């Protein structure tokens, strides 16, 4: 008996030692362990993932908005070299409507759509790139690479790798901008890089963020009139402040810098400051609590006629606790409008008045000339609503729910779990609204996924070190830092089609998977989009009827664009989104190019 006890004690001791060694190894290699563990968990979860399903509902008949169709501002503002068959910017136009004039693929022949070629990045990555197609080259990115493809056959023209340590475990990049023979992108270590369009050779680099504080630049920049516009992310980390920059396109020199939340003593100054009325009076932070938030991490919108730059601003932090940051927390949770040339403040639209749900105003807004004659700002944040603002008066015309909204007004508390919808990865994430001038409909894809939050105690909130995630969530699990999402499969996605003048939805589609991809309406009467199950769909833009659908790969969380190659219309889709925050199929990131047979496409 004594011998048996000794053996058991030895075995127990060995197991404890192994666990300690394993734990120490995980701690020592935390940045590597968390993504690998997340990938393993997602691999198991996705084994029994169901096929994609959709259901479309038509609204009751409603009065049409008065007035005849008028030209969209993008028609007048589009640079003369941007052919209709190109997709030269993240949202096609600087004004972000995402509408394509192409009609070779249309409601009568889209049923013959098929995958024509595939480009495999070979990387397991949060593949959110919004590809562009310009000058007969299809350009995409991962967090480390930028590549150029033949848009007709997916053959690689060139690929440039950047070797660096990302500031964030999410390790993501959302795309590039093009202007005058150069490509521009941000990196996950806080730099902006420029490349030669034909060769992929790096031309310049500029640092605008501090990766030691968790700052990064994952957003897809936009370029206009000799300037490149991009900001920094990381506003969920303690002490990090969102900022916006204009860089000289030829040299990378910072032309201006604008703090999206109040700049205070000791904050770094990287370039000339854009004029601002913002001060600390809108925050009222508790003593010793740094102003934090307002990061910008998706893309931007610009009106070439007025020279106004529209910037979506992220949440304030600590995310779930409002006590340390009483006040309106400007300009977090807002669309901020600046003079694009000088960085001077012009106006702002506060969409999330007091955010304690991590409901960033994240997506680039669309500037729309509606059928009723309104000049409209269309915005879809993470709070699950579609907003319309009349730019003639800067007044809100409507706020339309576009996904499940539950328990949104309940305050968070310590020792109490609060369930709410949309969750912290709900609503509209990084792809914003699109506009179809043929139907006067605004189209938005949404995530229907709820979360649960339990608030940390005040002393634990205060104890967080600068540069570390500052959500105020009471948890020891790194996967639950921003709330506990509902279980895998207890989610859905929506496409809402709302009248641009009234905000009233005309039709809506529900998917059994969340929808994060870009929405792409075309002159062929089609709307293209994909879901997180890897299913790609073509709908009738007028009524939401599903005309074509097929699983084409891994989760579709990036761009959906359409263009012409060799005279035929093509559709390029970023598939294979793999992230520690999303339980999706574990596959490498790929660009899929779809189209019809050439003979059919040119009829």
């Amino acid at each position: 008996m004594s011998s048996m006890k000794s053996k058991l004690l030895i075995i127990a001791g060995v197991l404890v030692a192994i666990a300690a060694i394993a734990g120490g190894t995980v701690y020592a290699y935390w940045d590597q362990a968390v993504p690998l563990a997340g990938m393993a968990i997602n691999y198991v979860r996705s084994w029994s993932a169901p096929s994609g399903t959709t259901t479309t509902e038509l609204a009751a008949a409603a009065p049409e908005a008065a007035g005849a169709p008028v030209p969209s501002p993008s028609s007048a503002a589009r640079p003369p070299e941007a052919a209709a068959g190109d997709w030269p910017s993240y949202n096609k136009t600087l004004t972000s409507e995402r509408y394509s004039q192409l009609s070779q693929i249309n409601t009568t022949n889209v049923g013959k759509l098929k995958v024509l070629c595939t480009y495999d990045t070979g990387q397991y990555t949060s593949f959110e790139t919004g590809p562009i197609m310009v000058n007969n080259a299809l350009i995409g990115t991962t967090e480390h690479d930028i590549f150029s493809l033949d848009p007709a056959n997916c053959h690689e023209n060139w690929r440039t790798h950047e070797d660096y340590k990302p500031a964030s475990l999410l390790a993501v990049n959302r795309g590039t901008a093009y202007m005058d023979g150069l490509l521009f992108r941000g990196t996950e270590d806080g730099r902006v890089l420029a490349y030669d369009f034909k060769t992929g050779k790096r031309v310049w680099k500029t640092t605008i963020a501090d990766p030691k504080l968790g700052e990064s630049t994952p957003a897809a920049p936009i370029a206009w009139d000799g300037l490149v516009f991009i900001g920094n992310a990381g506003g969920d980390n303690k002490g990090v402040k969102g900022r916006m920059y204009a860089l000289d396109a030829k040299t990378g020199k910072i032309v201006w810098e604008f703090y999206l939340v109040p700049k205070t003593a000791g904050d770094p100054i990287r370039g000339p400051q854009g004029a601002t009325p913002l001060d600390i009076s809108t925050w009222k932070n508790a003593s010793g609590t740094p102003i934090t938030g307002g990061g910008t991490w998706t893309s931007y919108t610009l009106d070439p006629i007025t020279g106004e730059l529209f910037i979506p601003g992220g949440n304030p932090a600590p995310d779930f606790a409002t006590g340390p940051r009483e006040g309106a927390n400007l300009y977090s949770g807002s669309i901020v409008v600046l003079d694009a040339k000088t960085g001077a403040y012009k106006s702002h639209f506060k969409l999330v008045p007091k955010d304690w749900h991590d409901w960033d105003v994240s997506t680039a807004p669309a500037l729309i000339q509606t059928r009723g004659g309104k000049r409209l700002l269309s915005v879809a944040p993470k709070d699950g609503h579609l907003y319309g603002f009349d730019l003639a008066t800067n007044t809100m015309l409507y706020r339309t729910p576009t996904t499940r909204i539950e328990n949104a007004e309940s305050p968070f508390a310590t020792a109490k779990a609060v369930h709410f919808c949309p969750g912290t990865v709900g609503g509209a994430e990084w792809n914003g609204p699109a506009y179809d001038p043929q139907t006067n409909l605004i189209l938005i894809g949404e995530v229907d996924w709820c979360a649960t939050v339990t608030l940390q105690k005040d002393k634990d909130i205060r104890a967080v070190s600068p540069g570390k995630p500052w959500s105020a969530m009471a948890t020891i699990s790194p996967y639950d830092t921003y709330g506990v999402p509902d279980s895998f499969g207890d989610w859905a996605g929506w496409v809402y089609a709302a009248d641009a003048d009234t905000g009233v939805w005309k039709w809506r589609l529900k998917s059994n998977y969340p929808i994060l991809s870009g929405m792409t309406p075309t002159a062929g009467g089609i709307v293209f989009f994909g879901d997180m199950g890897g299913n790609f769909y073509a709908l009738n833009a007028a009524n939401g009827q599903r005309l074509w659908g097929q699983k084409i790969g891994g989760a579709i969380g990036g761009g959906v664009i359409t263009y012409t190659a060799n005279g035929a219309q093509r559709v390029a889709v970023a598939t294979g989104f793999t992230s520690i925050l999303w339980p999706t199929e574990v596959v490498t990131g790929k660009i899929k190019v779809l189209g019809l047979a050439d003979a059919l496409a040119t009829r």
Side-chain angles (χ1 to χ4, degrees):
M1 184 66 70
S2 175
S3 175
M4 179 64 69
K5 285 183 178 180
S6 297
K7 289 181 180 179
L8 290 175
L9 286 173
I10 292 172
I11 292 171
V14 170
L15 291 175
V16 169
I18 291 172
I21 293 170
T25 302
V26 168
Y27 183 81
Y29 296 94
W30 186 256
D31 288 353
Q32 294 85 358
V34 171
L36 286 174
M39 188 179 296
I41 293 169
N42 290 347
Y43 185 78
V44 174
R45 283 172 167 172
S46 64
W47 272 349
S48 57
S51 300
T53 62
T54 62
T55 304
T56 300
E57 179 184 359
L58 292 173
E64 294 291 335
V70 293
S72 164
S74 65
S75 300
R78 188 176 299 110
E81 70 273 13
D86 282 356
W87 193 283
S89 190
Y90 180 80
N91 282 315
K92 193 175 196 300
T93 60
L94 294 175
T95 43
S96 297
E97 303 102 316
R98 296 191 57 85
Y99 175 74
S100 171
Q101 298 85 0
L102 300 180
S103 59
Q104 286 182 356
I105 301 174
N106 52 56
T107 56
T108 62
N109 63 18
V110 72
K112 295 181 172 62
L113 197 68
K114 63 179 181 179
V115 175
L116 301 178
C117 65
T118 299
Y119 177 76
D120 191 344
T121 67
Q123 297 178 7
Y124 295 94
T125 175
S126 299
F127 199 45
E128 300 170 27
T129 189
I132 63 173
M133 209 296 287
V134 62
N135 294 347
N136 201 37
L138 183 61
I139 309 296
T141 57
T142 67
E143 67 269 28
H144 289 289
D145 292 9
I146 181 170
F147 51 85
S148 171
L149 309 177
D150 185 315
N153 56 30
C154 301
H155 289 172
E156 182 179 293
N157 299 322
W158 54 257
R159 179 166 172 167
T160 301
H161 178 75
E162 299 289 348
D163 190 15
Y164 65 89
K165 180 181 179 181
S168 165
L169 292 178
L170 296 179
V172 65
N173 183 267
R174 296 189 173 88
T176 66
Y178 168 81
M179 186 169 57
D180 297 335
L182 292 176
L183 293 165
F184 312 94
R185 64 159 294 172
T187 66
E188 277 285 295
D189 66 346
R191 295 174 296 159
V192 184
L193 307 177
Y195 302 86
D196 181 271
F197 175 80
K198 293 183 178 180
T199 66
K201 182 180 179 181
R202 195 207 291 175
V203 176
W204 55 254
K205 64 177 179 179
T206 300
T207 298
I208 64 169
D210 185 353
K212 294 179 181 178
L213 296 176
E215 296 183 351
S216 59
T217 52
I222 60 173
W224 171 75
D225 204 16
L227 297 174
V228 180
F229 304 96
I230 192 169
N232 71 291
D236 295 300
N237 290 357
K238 189 174 184 179
V240 170
K241 298 180 178 182
R243 306 174 301 276
M244 191 68 195
Y245 295 88
L247 308 179
D248 182 280
K250 293 187 181 299
T251 66
K253 179 182 178 181
I254 295 174
V255 175
W256 55 254
E257 174 185 57
F258 186 92
Y259 270 77
L260 294 164
V261 297
K263 181 168 67 69
T264 52
D267 287 335
I269 296 175
R270 294 176 172 84
Q273 298 296 295
T276 177
L278 191 59
D279 58 38
I280 63 173
S281 64
T282 67
W283 282 73
K284 302 178 182 178
N285 275 25
S287 177
T289 302
I291 292 173
T292 304
T296 172
W297 44 275
T298 58
S299 194
Y300 316 95
T301 296
L302 188 143
D303 186 339
I305 296 175
T306 65
E308 293 176 319
L309 177 67
F310 294 78
I311 305 158
N315 59 277
D319 298 51
F320 304 134
T322 59
R325 50 174 176 85
E326 296 179 1
N329 301 156
L330 296 179
Y331 295 116
S332 70
S334 303
I335 296 293
V336 181
V337 187
L338 304 181
D339 182 302
K341 285 293 188 180
T342 67
Y345 169 87
K346 299 194 74 172
S347 62
H348 76 277
F349 301 86
K350 180 69 169 172
L351 276 74
V352 186
K354 191 67 178 177
D355 183 15
W356 68 91
H357 300 88
D358 191 19
W359 281 342
D360 305 64
V361 177
S362 51
T363 66
L367 303 180
I368 295 166
Q369 189 77 30
T370 73
R371 183 173 294 174
K374 296 183 179 72
R375 185 169 172 262
L376 189 77
L377 178 73
S378 179
V379 192
K382 285 171 57 178
D383 73 348
H385 291 82
L386 176 68
Y387 294 77
F389 290 90
D390 188 335
L391 287 173
T393 60
N394 283 1
T395 56
M396 187 168 72
L397 300 176
Y398 51 80
R399 180 176 182 260
T400 302
T402 47
T403 188
R404 181 170 30 151
I405 312 291
E406 291 180 5
N407 221 16
E409 300 302 321
S410 296
F412 296 160
T414 57
K416 178 186 177 182
V418 178
H419 184 261
F420 63 98
C421 315
T424 51
V425 287
E429 289 285 324
W430 47 84
N431 282 301
Y435 176 63
D436 182 356
Q438 295 189 131
T439 59
N440 198 44
L441 293 177
I442 295 172
L443 303 143
I444 184 66
E446 294 275 337
V447 177
D448 187 337
W449 201 16
C450 307
T452 300
V453 163
T454 303
L455 201 61
Q456 278 183 318
K457 295 178 181 179
D458 288 344
K459 66 178 181 63
D460 295 324
I461 296 173
R462 291 194 301 269
V464 173
S465 301
K468 298 300 182 182
W470 205 28
S471 69
M473 171 70 180
T475 182
I476 60 172
S477 170
Y479 301 104
D480 297 336
T481 300
Y482 296 100
V484 181
D486 286 358
S487 59
F488 171 64
D490 189 10
W491 61 4
W494 294 92
V495 175
Y496 265 75
D499 183 273
D501 285 289
T502 66
V504 176
W505 65 272
K506 184 173 181 180
W507 57 261
R508 61 187 181 186
L509 174 143
K510 188 174 185 180
S511 164
N512 62 331
Y513 285 96
I515 297 169
L516 288 92
S517 81
M519 304 292 300
T520 303
T522 75
I526 299 292
V527 178
F528 294 110
F529 74 96
D531 69 20
M532 295 300 276
N535 306 291
F536 189 62
Y537 297 108
L539 309 180
N540 186 315
N543 56 26
Q545 177 188 359
R546 176 172 156 180
L547 302 177
W548 185 90
Q550 182 179 308
K551 180 174 170 59
I552 64 170
I556 301 172
V560 173
I561 71 170
T562 187
Y563 57 87
T564 55
N566 297 335
Q569 185 179 354
R570 299 286 186 253
V571 181
V573 185
T575 74
F577 170 87
T578 302
S579 169
I580 59 175
L581 294 181
W582 292 86
T584 59
E585 184 179 3
V586 180
V587 294
T588 55
K590 299 176 179 67
I591 297 291
K592 301 273 186 172
V593 172
L594 299 90
L596 310 174
D598 287 346
L600 290 172
T602 54
R603 282 181 186 174

